[in-house]
Amino acid sequence: MKRLYLIKRLPLGKNYYAICLFGFVFSARPLSETELNHELIHAAQQKELLYIPFFIWYGIEWFILYFKYRDWEKAYFHIRFEEEAYHHESDQDYLKHRKHYNYR
């Protein structure tokens, strides 16, 4: 896949090893099919929101959830984009039948 790029490390902390930015997946190590599918779900989300609005929405939602939970990791897992990606990452056919704007 041409949209997957392996890099030495990500500046996100040691527990995070992959990120999808503007439809490109950057990873500090080879990804399993499930992990790659998770990132490709984010690519679909970003594309349908025209990229920049996705990142703005993501950041605002994380910020609000952080103040709600007072825990940055709990806030991360409750972002609607992450919930959709984690919920469907094991379904390798999800992107074939995914409805647009299907955030939980």
Side-chain angles (χ1 to χ4, degrees), residues 27-62:
S27 178
R29 62 171 174 75
L31 300 177
S32 70
E33 285 185 15
T34 300
E35 293 165 336
L36 180 58
N37 197 43
H38 177 99
E39 296 305 327
L40 293 177
I41 291 169
H42 287 315
Q45 295 165 339
Q46 292 171 17
K47 183 178 178 182
E48 70 191 9
L49 286 174
L50 304 176
Y51 301 103
I52 299 298
F54 169 87
F55 293 108
I56 293 169
W57 183 345
Y58 191 104
I60 291 170
E61 188 168 349
W62 179 87

mmCIF file of all heavy atoms in Angstrom, residues 27-62:
data_model
loop_
_atom_site.group_PDB
_atom_site.id
_atom_site.type_symbol
_atom_site.label_atom_id
_atom_site.label_comp_id
_atom_site.label_asym_id
_atom_site.label_seq_id
_atom_site.Cartn_x
_atom_site.Cartn_y
_atom_site.Cartn_z
ATOM 1 N N SER A 27 3.715 5.031 10.513
ATOM 2 C CA SER A 27 3.820 4.047 11.579
ATOM 3 C C SER A 27 5.276 3.817 11.961
ATOM 4 O O SER A 27 6.162 3.831 11.108
ATOM 5 C CB SER A 27 3.188 2.727 11.138
ATOM 6 O OG SER A 27 3.332 1.764 12.140
ATOM 7 N N ALA A 28 5.484 3.570 13.238
ATOM 8 C CA ALA A 28 6.825 3.288 13.745
ATOM 9 C C ALA A 28 7.191 1.817 13.591
ATOM 10 O O ALA A 28 8.314 1.424 13.864
ATOM 11 C CB ALA A 28 6.921 3.705 15.210
ATOM 12 N N ARG A 29 6.218 1.010 13.152
ATOM 13 C CA ARG A 29 6.473 -0.413 12.942
ATOM 14 C C ARG A 29 5.429 -0.946 11.958
ATOM 15 O O ARG A 29 4.417 -0.291 11.711
ATOM 16 C CB ARG A 29 6.404 -1.178 14.258
ATOM 17 C CG ARG A 29 5.032 -1.120 14.921
ATOM 18 C CD ARG A 29 4.985 -2.073 16.090
ATOM 19 N NE ARG A 29 3.777 -2.005 16.863
ATOM 20 C CZ ARG A 29 2.584 -2.491 16.496
ATOM 21 N NH1 ARG A 29 2.432 -3.065 15.315
ATOM 22 N NH2 ARG A 29 1.537 -2.392 17.292
ATOM 23 N N PRO A 30 5.684 -2.119 11.376
ATOM 24 C CA PRO A 30 4.668 -2.706 10.492
ATOM 25 C C PRO A 30 3.361 -2.916 11.266
ATOM 26 O O PRO A 30 3.375 -3.257 12.447
ATOM 27 C CB PRO A 30 5.283 -4.040 10.068
ATOM 28 C CG PRO A 30 6.760 -3.843 10.221
ATOM 29 C CD PRO A 30 6.910 -2.933 11.415
ATOM 30 N N LEU A 31 2.246 -2.711 10.590
ATOM 31 C CA LEU A 31 0.935 -2.819 11.227
ATOM 32 C C LEU A 31 0.249 -4.128 10.867
ATOM 33 O O LEU A 31 0.400 -4.622 9.750
ATOM 34 C CB LEU A 31 0.040 -1.657 10.788
ATOM 35 C CG LEU A 31 0.525 -0.249 11.113
ATOM 36 C CD1 LEU A 31 -0.444 0.782 10.555
ATOM 37 C CD2 LEU A 31 0.683 -0.068 12.605
ATOM 38 N N SER A 32 -0.519 -4.638 11.795
ATOM 39 C CA SER A 32 -1.358 -5.795 11.500
ATOM 40 C C SER A 32 -2.506 -5.326 10.611
ATOM 41 O O SER A 32 -2.740 -4.123 10.452
ATOM 42 C CB SER A 32 -1.914 -6.390 12.795
ATOM 43 O OG SER A 32 -2.872 -5.503 13.365
ATOM 44 N N GLU A 33 -3.257 -6.262 10.056
ATOM 45 C CA GLU A 33 -4.408 -5.898 9.224
ATOM 46 C C GLU A 33 -5.421 -5.096 10.030
ATOM 47 O O GLU A 33 -6.007 -4.138 9.529
ATOM 48 C CB GLU A 33 -5.071 -7.146 8.647
ATOM 49 C CG GLU A 33 -4.306 -7.792 7.521
ATOM 50 C CD GLU A 33 -5.067 -8.961 6.908
ATOM 51 O OE1 GLU A 33 -6.291 -9.090 7.154
ATOM 52 O OE2 GLU A 33 -4.433 -9.731 6.184
ATOM 53 N N THR A 34 -5.630 -5.471 11.275
ATOM 54 C CA THR A 34 -6.585 -4.773 12.137
ATOM 55 C C THR A 34 -6.126 -3.348 12.415
ATOM 56 O O THR A 34 -6.916 -2.405 12.342
ATOM 57 C CB THR A 34 -6.777 -5.545 13.459
ATOM 58 O OG1 THR A 34 -7.276 -6.848 13.158
ATOM 59 C CG2 THR A 34 -7.727 -4.829 14.393
ATOM 60 N N GLU A 35 -4.853 -3.190 12.739
ATOM 61 C CA GLU A 35 -4.311 -1.855 13.020
ATOM 62 C C GLU A 35 -4.369 -0.970 11.781
ATOM 63 O O GLU A 35 -4.734 0.212 11.868
ATOM 64 C CB GLU A 35 -2.871 -1.974 13.519
ATOM 65 C CG GLU A 35 -2.756 -2.636 14.871
ATOM 66 C CD GLU A 35 -1.351 -3.074 15.211
ATOM 67 O OE1 GLU A 35 -0.523 -3.292 14.288
ATOM 68 O OE2 GLU A 35 -1.073 -3.214 16.412
ATOM 69 N N LEU A 36 -4.022 -1.535 10.635
ATOM 70 C CA LEU A 36 -4.082 -0.765 9.397
ATOM 71 C C LEU A 36 -5.521 -0.378 9.075
ATOM 72 O O LEU A 36 -5.795 0.759 8.672
ATOM 73 C CB LEU A 36 -3.472 -1.550 8.239
ATOM 74 C CG LEU A 36 -3.469 -0.843 6.883
ATOM 75 C CD1 LEU A 36 -2.719 0.492 6.961
ATOM 76 C CD2 LEU A 36 -2.872 -1.736 5.821
ATOM 77 N N ASN A 37 -6.448 -1.297 9.275
ATOM 78 C CA ASN A 37 -7.852 -1.006 9.026
ATOM 79 C C ASN A 37 -8.333 0.144 9.919
ATOM 80 O O ASN A 37 -9.071 1.019 9.473
ATOM 81 C CB ASN A 37 -8.716 -2.249 9.243
ATOM 82 C CG ASN A 37 -10.081 -2.119 8.629
ATOM 83 O OD1 ASN A 37 -10.238 -1.642 7.511
ATOM 84 N ND2 ASN A 37 -11.089 -2.546 9.368
ATOM 85 N N HIS A 38 -7.893 0.157 11.163
ATOM 86 C CA HIS A 38 -8.231 1.241 12.090
ATOM 87 C C HIS A 38 -7.792 2.585 11.501
ATOM 88 O O HIS A 38 -8.562 3.544 11.458
ATOM 89 C CB HIS A 38 -7.548 1.000 13.438
ATOM 90 C CG HIS A 38 -7.762 2.078 14.443
ATOM 91 N ND1 HIS A 38 -8.704 1.973 15.443
ATOM 92 C CD2 HIS A 38 -7.167 3.285 14.609
ATOM 93 C CE1 HIS A 38 -8.676 3.074 16.181
ATOM 94 N NE2 HIS A 38 -7.736 3.882 15.689
ATOM 95 N N GLU A 39 -6.565 2.633 11.025
ATOM 96 C CA GLU A 39 -6.044 3.886 10.464
ATOM 97 C C GLU A 39 -6.755 4.248 9.156
ATOM 98 O O GLU A 39 -6.980 5.431 8.871
ATOM 99 C CB GLU A 39 -4.530 3.792 10.258
ATOM 100 C CG GLU A 39 -3.747 3.624 11.550
ATOM 101 C CD GLU A 39 -4.010 4.704 12.595
ATOM 102 O OE1 GLU A 39 -4.255 5.870 12.206
ATOM 103 O OE2 GLU A 39 -3.986 4.381 13.799
ATOM 104 N N LEU A 40 -7.114 3.260 8.359
ATOM 105 C CA LEU A 40 -7.820 3.540 7.110
ATOM 106 C C LEU A 40 -9.243 4.042 7.365
ATOM 107 O O LEU A 40 -9.787 4.808 6.558
ATOM 108 C CB LEU A 40 -7.820 2.314 6.211
ATOM 109 C CG LEU A 40 -6.442 1.915 5.675
ATOM 110 C CD1 LEU A 40 -6.544 0.632 4.856
ATOM 111 C CD2 LEU A 40 -5.814 3.037 4.872
ATOM 112 N N ILE A 41 -9.840 3.623 8.467
ATOM 113 C CA ILE A 41 -11.142 4.185 8.851
ATOM 114 C C ILE A 41 -10.971 5.671 9.142
ATOM 115 O O ILE A 41 -11.786 6.494 8.726
ATOM 116 C CB ILE A 41 -11.743 3.415 10.055
ATOM 117 C CG1 ILE A 41 -12.137 2.005 9.626
ATOM 118 C CG2 ILE A 41 -12.945 4.171 10.633
ATOM 119 C CD1 ILE A 41 -12.496 1.067 10.779
ATOM 120 N N HIS A 42 -9.880 6.021 9.827
ATOM 121 C CA HIS A 42 -9.600 7.445 10.053
ATOM 122 C C HIS A 42 -9.378 8.185 8.728
ATOM 123 O O HIS A 42 -9.805 9.331 8.575
ATOM 124 C CB HIS A 42 -8.379 7.625 10.949
ATOM 125 C CG HIS A 42 -8.621 7.296 12.382
ATOM 126 N ND1 HIS A 42 -9.738 7.702 13.089
ATOM 127 C CD2 HIS A 42 -7.877 6.585 13.264
ATOM 128 C CE1 HIS A 42 -9.669 7.274 14.332
ATOM 129 N NE2 HIS A 42 -8.542 6.578 14.462
ATOM 130 N N ALA A 43 -8.733 7.544 7.780
ATOM 131 C CA ALA A 43 -8.525 8.175 6.472
ATOM 132 C C ALA A 43 -9.867 8.481 5.811
ATOM 133 O O ALA A 43 -10.051 9.558 5.232
ATOM 134 C CB ALA A 43 -7.674 7.275 5.570
ATOM 135 N N ALA A 44 -10.820 7.556 5.901
ATOM 136 C CA ALA A 44 -12.153 7.775 5.332
ATOM 137 C C ALA A 44 -12.867 8.908 6.061
ATOM 138 O O ALA A 44 -13.519 9.754 5.433
ATOM 139 C CB ALA A 44 -12.977 6.489 5.400
ATOM 140 N N GLN A 45 -12.755 8.956 7.384
ATOM 141 C CA GLN A 45 -13.369 10.022 8.169
ATOM 142 C C GLN A 45 -12.785 11.379 7.775
ATOM 143 O O GLN A 45 -13.523 12.350 7.581
ATOM 144 C CB GLN A 45 -13.133 9.792 9.669
ATOM 145 C CG GLN A 45 -13.779 8.565 10.230
ATOM 146 C CD GLN A 45 -13.237 8.192 11.602
ATOM 147 O OE1 GLN A 45 -12.138 8.597 11.996
ATOM 148 N NE2 GLN A 45 -14.009 7.398 12.336
ATOM 149 N N GLN A 46 -11.471 11.435 7.658
ATOM 150 C CA GLN A 46 -10.798 12.685 7.310
ATOM 151 C C GLN A 46 -11.221 13.172 5.928
ATOM 152 O O GLN A 46 -11.511 14.354 5.741
ATOM 153 C CB GLN A 46 -9.279 12.505 7.361
ATOM 154 C CG GLN A 46 -8.750 12.295 8.755
ATOM 155 C CD GLN A 46 -7.292 11.912 8.784
ATOM 156 O OE1 GLN A 46 -6.564 12.095 7.809
ATOM 157 N NE2 GLN A 46 -6.844 11.367 9.903
ATOM 158 N N LYS A 47 -11.265 12.248 4.983
ATOM 159 C CA LYS A 47 -11.626 12.609 3.612
ATOM 160 C C LYS A 47 -13.042 13.174 3.532
ATOM 161 O O LYS A 47 -13.276 14.187 2.887
ATOM 162 C CB LYS A 47 -11.486 11.390 2.698
ATOM 163 C CG LYS A 47 -11.765 11.692 1.252
ATOM 164 C CD LYS A 47 -11.566 10.442 0.405
ATOM 165 C CE LYS A 47 -11.895 10.724 -1.048
ATOM 166 N NZ LYS A 47 -11.758 9.512 -1.867
ATOM 167 N N GLU A 48 -13.996 12.527 4.206
ATOM 168 C CA GLU A 48 -15.378 12.990 4.094
ATOM 169 C C GLU A 48 -15.596 14.322 4.809
ATOM 170 O O GLU A 48 -16.530 15.040 4.493
ATOM 171 C CB GLU A 48 -16.363 11.929 4.561
ATOM 172 C CG GLU A 48 -16.380 11.641 6.020
ATOM 173 C CD GLU A 48 -17.193 10.399 6.354
ATOM 174 O OE1 GLU A 48 -17.610 9.665 5.441
ATOM 175 O OE2 GLU A 48 -17.390 10.160 7.555
ATOM 176 N N LEU A 49 -14.732 14.673 5.757
ATOM 177 C CA LEU A 49 -14.831 15.972 6.419
ATOM 178 C C LEU A 49 -13.851 16.991 5.826
ATOM 179 O O LEU A 49 -13.664 18.063 6.394
ATOM 180 C CB LEU A 49 -14.592 15.829 7.921
ATOM 181 C CG LEU A 49 -15.737 15.196 8.702
ATOM 182 C CD1 LEU A 49 -15.341 14.981 10.147
ATOM 183 C CD2 LEU A 49 -16.987 16.054 8.612
ATOM 184 N N LEU A 50 -13.242 16.635 4.700
ATOM 185 C CA LEU A 50 -12.322 17.525 3.980
ATOM 186 C C LEU A 50 -11.084 17.878 4.808
ATOM 187 O O LEU A 50 -10.593 19.000 4.776
ATOM 188 C CB LEU A 50 -13.050 18.769 3.485
ATOM 189 C CG LEU A 50 -14.267 18.493 2.608
ATOM 190 C CD1 LEU A 50 -14.965 19.787 2.265
ATOM 191 C CD2 LEU A 50 -13.892 17.720 1.361
ATOM 192 N N TYR A 51 -10.593 16.922 5.561
ATOM 193 C CA TYR A 51 -9.334 16.937 6.299
ATOM 194 C C TYR A 51 -9.260 17.971 7.423
ATOM 195 O O TYR A 51 -9.310 17.601 8.585
ATOM 196 C CB TYR A 51 -8.137 17.046 5.345
ATOM 197 C CG TYR A 51 -8.112 15.906 4.366
ATOM 198 C CD1 TYR A 51 -8.526 16.080 3.043
ATOM 199 C CD2 TYR A 51 -7.737 14.633 4.757
ATOM 200 C CE1 TYR A 51 -8.541 15.012 2.147
ATOM 201 C CE2 TYR A 51 -7.751 13.565 3.874
ATOM 202 C CZ TYR A 51 -8.151 13.763 2.577
ATOM 203 O OH TYR A 51 -8.179 12.709 1.699
ATOM 204 N N ILE A 52 -9.093 19.237 7.131
ATOM 205 C CA ILE A 52 -8.885 20.245 8.182
ATOM 206 C C ILE A 52 -10.046 20.268 9.185
ATOM 207 O O ILE A 52 -9.802 20.259 10.398
ATOM 208 C CB ILE A 52 -8.637 21.644 7.574
ATOM 209 C CG1 ILE A 52 -7.369 21.633 6.705
ATOM 210 C CG2 ILE A 52 -8.540 22.704 8.668
ATOM 211 C CD1 ILE A 52 -6.080 21.304 7.429
ATOM 212 N N PRO A 53 -11.318 20.290 8.730
ATOM 213 C CA PRO A 53 -12.405 20.255 9.717
ATOM 214 C C PRO A 53 -12.368 19.008 10.608
ATOM 215 O O PRO A 53 -12.738 19.077 11.777
ATOM 216 C CB PRO A 53 -13.672 20.289 8.856
ATOM 217 C CG PRO A 53 -13.244 21.008 7.619
ATOM 218 C CD PRO A 53 -11.835 20.528 7.385
ATOM 219 N N PHE A 54 -11.898 17.884 10.066
ATOM 220 C CA PHE A 54 -11.756 16.673 10.879
ATOM 221 C C PHE A 54 -10.835 16.939 12.051
ATOM 222 O O PHE A 54 -11.161 16.617 13.198
ATOM 223 C CB PHE A 54 -11.206 15.511 10.043
ATOM 224 C CG PHE A 54 -10.786 14.323 10.878
ATOM 225 C CD1 PHE A 54 -11.702 13.346 11.221
ATOM 226 C CD2 PHE A 54 -9.477 14.187 11.325
ATOM 227 C CE1 PHE A 54 -11.317 12.244 12.004
ATOM 228 C CE2 PHE A 54 -9.082 13.104 12.103
ATOM 229 C CZ PHE A 54 -10.017 12.132 12.440
ATOM 230 N N PHE A 55 -9.676 17.521 11.800
ATOM 231 C CA PHE A 55 -8.697 17.746 12.865
ATOM 232 C C PHE A 55 -9.187 18.782 13.870
ATOM 233 O O PHE A 55 -8.916 18.662 15.074
ATOM 234 C CB PHE A 55 -7.344 18.135 12.267
ATOM 235 C CG PHE A 55 -6.715 17.011 11.489
ATOM 236 C CD1 PHE A 55 -6.648 17.061 10.110
ATOM 237 C CD2 PHE A 55 -6.231 15.889 12.135
ATOM 238 C CE1 PHE A 55 -6.088 16.019 9.383
ATOM 239 C CE2 PHE A 55 -5.669 14.834 11.422
ATOM 240 C CZ PHE A 55 -5.597 14.906 10.044
ATOM 241 N N ILE A 56 -9.909 19.779 13.397
ATOM 242 C CA ILE A 56 -10.475 20.770 14.309
ATOM 243 C C ILE A 56 -11.506 20.111 15.219
ATOM 244 O O ILE A 56 -11.480 20.280 16.446
ATOM 245 C CB ILE A 56 -11.087 21.948 13.513
ATOM 246 C CG1 ILE A 56 -9.974 22.723 12.799
ATOM 247 C CG2 ILE A 56 -11.898 22.864 14.430
ATOM 248 C CD1 ILE A 56 -10.477 23.734 11.785
ATOM 249 N N TRP A 57 -12.430 19.347 14.608
ATOM 250 C CA TRP A 57 -13.467 18.643 15.378
ATOM 251 C C TRP A 57 -12.824 17.681 16.374
ATOM 252 O O TRP A 57 -13.193 17.631 17.546
ATOM 253 C CB TRP A 57 -14.387 17.909 14.417
ATOM 254 C CG TRP A 57 -15.564 17.191 15.016
ATOM 255 C CD1 TRP A 57 -15.786 16.867 16.334
ATOM 256 C CD2 TRP A 57 -16.683 16.686 14.304
ATOM 257 N NE1 TRP A 57 -16.972 16.195 16.465
ATOM 258 C CE2 TRP A 57 -17.540 16.066 15.236
ATOM 259 C CE3 TRP A 57 -17.042 16.686 12.959
ATOM 260 C CZ2 TRP A 57 -18.733 15.458 14.867
ATOM 261 C CZ3 TRP A 57 -18.232 16.070 12.601
ATOM 262 C CH2 TRP A 57 -19.067 15.480 13.540
ATOM 263 N N TYR A 58 -11.834 16.909 15.913
ATOM 264 C CA TYR A 58 -11.142 15.936 16.758
ATOM 265 C C TYR A 58 -10.537 16.637 17.972
ATOM 266 O O TYR A 58 -10.695 16.190 19.113
ATOM 267 C CB TYR A 58 -10.059 15.250 15.930
ATOM 268 C CG TYR A 58 -9.432 14.037 16.560
ATOM 269 C CD1 TYR A 58 -9.768 12.761 16.131
ATOM 270 C CD2 TYR A 58 -8.474 14.151 17.570
ATOM 271 C CE1 TYR A 58 -9.185 11.633 16.683
ATOM 272 C CE2 TYR A 58 -7.891 13.034 18.137
ATOM 273 C CZ TYR A 58 -8.243 11.777 17.691
ATOM 274 O OH TYR A 58 -7.673 10.659 18.245
ATOM 275 N N GLY A 59 -9.832 17.723 17.720
ATOM 276 C CA GLY A 59 -9.176 18.455 18.808
ATOM 277 C C GLY A 59 -10.160 19.057 19.790
ATOM 278 O O GLY A 59 -9.966 18.965 21.018
ATOM 279 N N ILE A 60 -11.209 19.670 19.289
ATOM 280 C CA ILE A 60 -12.217 20.268 20.167
ATOM 281 C C ILE A 60 -12.900 19.186 21.001
ATOM 282 O O ILE A 60 -13.099 19.353 22.208
ATOM 283 C CB ILE A 60 -13.246 21.088 19.357
ATOM 284 C CG1 ILE A 60 -12.577 22.340 18.796
ATOM 285 C CG2 ILE A 60 -14.462 21.440 20.203
ATOM 286 C CD1 ILE A 60 -13.428 23.109 17.792
ATOM 287 N N GLU A 61 -13.263 18.075 20.348
ATOM 288 C CA GLU A 61 -13.939 16.998 21.080
ATOM 289 C C GLU A 61 -13.024 16.413 22.151
ATOM 290 O O GLU A 61 -13.452 16.161 23.282
ATOM 291 C CB GLU A 61 -14.407 15.904 20.121
ATOM 292 C CG GLU A 61 -15.275 14.883 20.806
ATOM 293 C CD GLU A 61 -15.987 13.942 19.848
ATOM 294 O OE1 GLU A 61 -15.981 14.185 18.625
ATOM 295 O OE2 GLU A 61 -16.550 12.951 20.342
ATOM 296 N N TRP A 62 -11.741 16.215 21.834
ATOM 297 C CA TRP A 62 -10.808 15.697 22.840
ATOM 298 C C TRP A 62 -10.700 16.670 24.014
ATOM 299 O O TRP A 62 -10.728 16.262 25.181
ATOM 300 C CB TRP A 62 -9.413 15.458 22.245
ATOM 301 C CG TRP A 62 -8.472 14.959 23.290
ATOM 302 C CD1 TRP A 62 -8.278 13.667 23.671
ATOM 303 C CD2 TRP A 62 -7.631 15.751 24.137
ATOM 304 N NE1 TRP A 62 -7.361 13.616 24.706
ATOM 305 C CE2 TRP A 62 -6.952 14.879 25.003
ATOM 306 C CE3 TRP A 62 -7.384 17.117 24.238
ATOM 307 C CZ2 TRP A 62 -6.045 15.325 25.959
ATOM 308 C CZ3 TRP A 62 -6.486 17.564 25.194
ATOM 309 C CH2 TRP A 62 -5.820 16.674 26.037
#
